[in-house]
Amino acid sequence: MALISRGFRPKRESDPRLPPGQYLERGFPVLSAGPTPKVDLSTWAFTLGSPGEARARWTWEELLALPAEDVVVDIHCVTKWTKLDSRWRGVSIDTLLDAVEVGDDEQHVLARCDGGYTTNMPLADLRGGKAWIAYGYDGAPLPDEHGGPARLLVPHLYFWKSAKWVRRLDLLTADEQGFWELRGYHDYGDPWREQRYWGD
Amino acid sequence: MTTTTEPEPLDETDSPESTDAPDVRYALPWHVATVAARRRETSSAVSLELDVPGWHGALPGQHVDVRLTAEDGYSTQRSYSLACPGTMGVARATMPTEATTARIALTVQVVEDGEVSPYLAEELVVGDQIELRGPIGHWFVWQPRDPQPVQLVGGGSGLVPLMSMVRTRHQAGSRAPFRLLTSVRTPADALYAAELDALASQDPGLEVTWAWTRQAPAGWTGPVGRLDADALAAACLPPEQHPHVFVCGPTPFVEHVASTLVSLGHDADRIRTERFGPTG
């Protein structure tokens, strides 16, 4: 039972597309744990594999040559803001997974990024047109502070799962927690079930 | 690995020993906090001291989620850094787990057209209650037992979690060398100025440097404007001392300061950042 806040009156628009506890944000706030990495596209590559094994690897040019999709999605940050109809361009994870063998027992993924950031999620959440490696935002290259040159985009989960500066996806046979998941944040992070922190 | 030239993405900060996370996992229940005191810091910032029964303590740098609920049932949440974590410097394991009331502090910078910050800063009076939960964030934290030098760089209200570290250091009796560089527009925007002056004057281990981006106090002979590489190099602990660096402020400030510190030779792995977005 919630405590009523004396004299508190809502000022924000409500929208059925806002998950519980979220408010509508028109800007695009930045959250990062450390400095924005400097990236050299001539040596940049994206790897899909498992720990110790690179099953496929794409250079920047090779990634851009893959079929691209333009998507318009709502994104939900655990710090409470939601941005509706954000426009992205990138490669579906389905396209990348088609290039490798995936073992039946590999049902978990750990994303690894420049700067050491990691985040985990079930493989099922990256399949079926629900996730991308995004390199374009709002009709332009993805800005560095928002994860450029490329970030994971998993809009149906809280946005810390959409790892900036992503460099590798490791398929795992057992779940392994990532950076924020080890530091108090929820393993799965469904905004509609308000899974922000441990125990939510 | 078949690609031996590939940069290794993981660094030491990913080892379980350095997560700064508690050993025991715990859910975060909502607490009812009672306003015990309020203090105006600037024309647009107010500090609230809150009594929180059942609060288990926090590390400096952590934040809380505040939840407000209107009479019609509408509810909304925002995150606020702790300006004082309550049971400062006391290890979680040694703290009582129930029937305790800790006093914590938040400093709320009013966001124009905001929904929550004007309510917290202007409407709440002593005795009012709000819901909150935390502490949240086990990364942008300083461990009071860590003797390493610490460099703090704050922009505007980004000073709040850094002040939590300064206060905790003082209360815990830590001798870790601290330098604080705090950048604000004008003297009228300076948070905690008197308290910082008092702490620094009695403690040679704490150095506080103010930087003014629009207008300096009368008699100021230094530069006025955005912190540049020279100003950062002059005010910050040198990279050779391998300080922990905490940078907090608006996104452009944090981007600029963190990247400049890296170019000055600071190890990117030692720089922890927190950005204040518009959280009205």
Side-chain angles (χ1 to χ4, degrees), chain A residues 27-90:
Chain A
F28 191 175
V30 171
L31 280 176
S32 312
T36 296
K38 299 268 180 285
V39 176
D40 179 358
L41 285 180
S42 68
T43 56
W44 187 94
F46 180 79
T47 302
L48 179 56
S50 57
E53 181 197 10
R55 296 183 198 174
R57 191 168 181 270
W58 294 269
T59 66
W60 180 245
E61 285 76 21
E62 288 167 344
L63 185 80
L64 295 189
L66 293 173
E69 296 179 7
D70 290 296
V71 294
V72 179
V73 293
D74 303 340
I75 53 177
H76 313 289
C77 181
V78 72
T79 64
K80 320 295 179 318
W81 57 264
T82 282
K83 188 171 177 56
L84 301 177
D85 299 324
S86 62
R87 296 168 55 227
W88 303 83
R89 182 173 178 82

Side-chain angles (χ1 to χ4, degrees), chain B residues 23 55 87 260:
Chain B
D23 296 334
W55 182 254
T87 47
T260 304

Side-chain angles (χ1 to χ4, degrees), chain B:
Chain B
M1 192 170 307
T2 57
T3 53
T4 51
T5 58
E6 183 182 28
E8 182 56 46
L10 287 180
D11 60 30
E12 63 184 11
T13 61
D14 277 85
S15 65
E17 293 74 30
S18 62
T19 60
D20 290 324
D23 296 334
V24 179
R25 299 201 155 203
Y26 53 90
L28 294 174
W30 288 97
H31 298 278
V32 174
T34 303
V35 179
R38 45 173 292 138
R39 182 173 58 253
R40 180 158 291 282
E41 301 282 0
T42 70
S43 62
S44 60
V46 168
S47 286
L48 297 172
E49 290 185 27
L50 300 160
D51 284 334
V52 192
W55 182 254
H56 289 196
L59 286 168
Q62 292 189 293
H63 65 272
V64 294
D65 282 359
V66 170
R67 178 166 73 186
L68 301 180
T69 304
E71 280 184 11
D72 66 1
Y74 169 86
S75 179
T76 195
Q77 301 175 29
R78 298 291 187 277
S79 298
Y80 287 95
S81 286
L82 288 158
C84 160
T87 47
M88 292 182 279
V90 181
R92 272 191 66 80
T94 64
M95 295 199 326
T97 55
E98 52 191 331
T100 58
T101 293
R103 184 167 293 190
I104 64 172
L106 311 179
T107 299
V108 179
Q109 179 77 42
V110 174
V111 176
E112 233 177 284
D113 298 328
E115 178 176 59
V116 173
S117 58
Y119 176 83
L120 295 178
E122 314 294 350
E123 296 282 327
L124 276 187
V125 297
V126 171
D128 277 345
Q129 293 186 317
I130 57 172
E131 289 179 297
L132 59 80
R133 67 173 178 159
I136 296 158
H138 297 282
W139 174 247
F140 196 82
V141 292
W142 176 67
Q143 300 282 357
R145 281 168 293 189
D146 189 336
Q148 276 290 106
V150 173
Q151 178 65 54
L152 310 173
V153 187
S157 59
L159 178 57
V160 175
L162 309 180
M163 189 63 182
S164 186
M165 297 180 190
V166 170
R167 286 170 165 163
T168 299
R169 175 184 175 280
H170 178 68
Q171 294 217 350
S174 161
R175 300 279 179 88
F178 260 46
R179 274 200 202 175
L180 166 64
L181 172 59
T182 174
S183 170
V184 291
R185 287 176 183 164
T186 75
D189 299 304
L191 297 171
Y192 320 124
E195 184 179 347
L196 282 171
D197 283 351
L199 285 171
S201 68
Q202 62 181 275
D203 183 349
L206 171 66
E207 279 185 53
V208 177
T209 306
W210 291 89
W212 316 98
T213 61
R214 300 235 178 117
Q215 181 203 323
W220 179 260
T221 55
V224 174
R226 191 167 89 139
L227 286 172
D228 59 16
D230 288 345
L232 283 165
C236 293
L237 289 164
E240 297 74 36
Q241 291 192 23
H242 305 294
H244 296 300
V245 181
F246 296 91
V247 185
C248 186
T251 291
F253 176 86
V254 172
E255 287 291 317
H256 170 66
V257 169
S259 62
T260 304
L261 289 174
V262 171
S263 70
L264 288 171
H266 286 270
D267 187 346
D269 289 343
R270 288 186 174 275
I271 301 175
R272 300 187 180 196
T273 63
E274 184 143 290
R275 287 138 167 102
F276 274 24
T279 53

Side-chain angles (χ1 to χ4, degrees), chain A residues 39-193:
Chain A
V39 176
D40 179 358
L41 285 180
S42 68
T43 56
W44 187 94
F46 180 79
T47 302
L48 179 56
S50 57
E53 181 197 10
R55 296 183 198 174
R57 191 168 181 270
W58 294 269
T59 66
W60 180 245
E61 285 76 21
E62 288 167 344
L63 185 80
L64 295 189
L66 293 173
E69 296 179 7
D70 290 296
V71 294
V72 179
V73 293
D74 303 340
I75 53 177
H76 313 289
C77 181
V78 72
T79 64
K80 320 295 179 318
W81 57 264
T82 282
K83 188 171 177 56
L84 301 177
D85 299 324
S86 62
R87 296 168 55 227
W88 303 83
R89 182 173 178 82
V91 177
S92 169
I93 304 293
D94 295 313
T95 303
L96 304 178
L97 285 169
D98 285 345
V100 301
E101 296 272 336
V102 179
D104 290 343
D105 57 344
E106 293 177 319
Q107 294 302 315
H108 304 275
V109 175
L110 189 71
R112 299 176 180 273
C113 307
D114 283 330
Y117 183 78
T118 56
T119 187
N120 57 304
M121 63 211 76
L123 177 61
D125 286 84
L126 297 180
R127 286 189 139 143
K130 293 197 292 285
W132 298 265
I133 299 296
Y135 48 73
Y137 175 73
D138 211 13
L142 180 61
D144 292 350
E145 69 269 26
H146 288 302
R151 74 183 295 165
L152 190 58
L153 176 64
V154 196
H156 68 285
L157 301 178
Y158 279 126
F159 212 46
W160 86 80
K161 298 286 186 181
S162 294
K164 294 178 186 181
W165 313 303
V166 70
R167 290 293 294 270
R168 181 177 182 116
L169 294 181
D170 271 334
L171 301 164
L172 305 175
T173 54
D175 196 11
E176 182 180 325
Q177 291 177 310
F179 182 89
W180 286 120
E181 293 82 6
L182 283 167
R183 293 172 175 83
Y185 287 77
H186 198 274
D187 265 350
Y188 185 63
D190 180 349
W192 294 96
R193 289 187 279 167

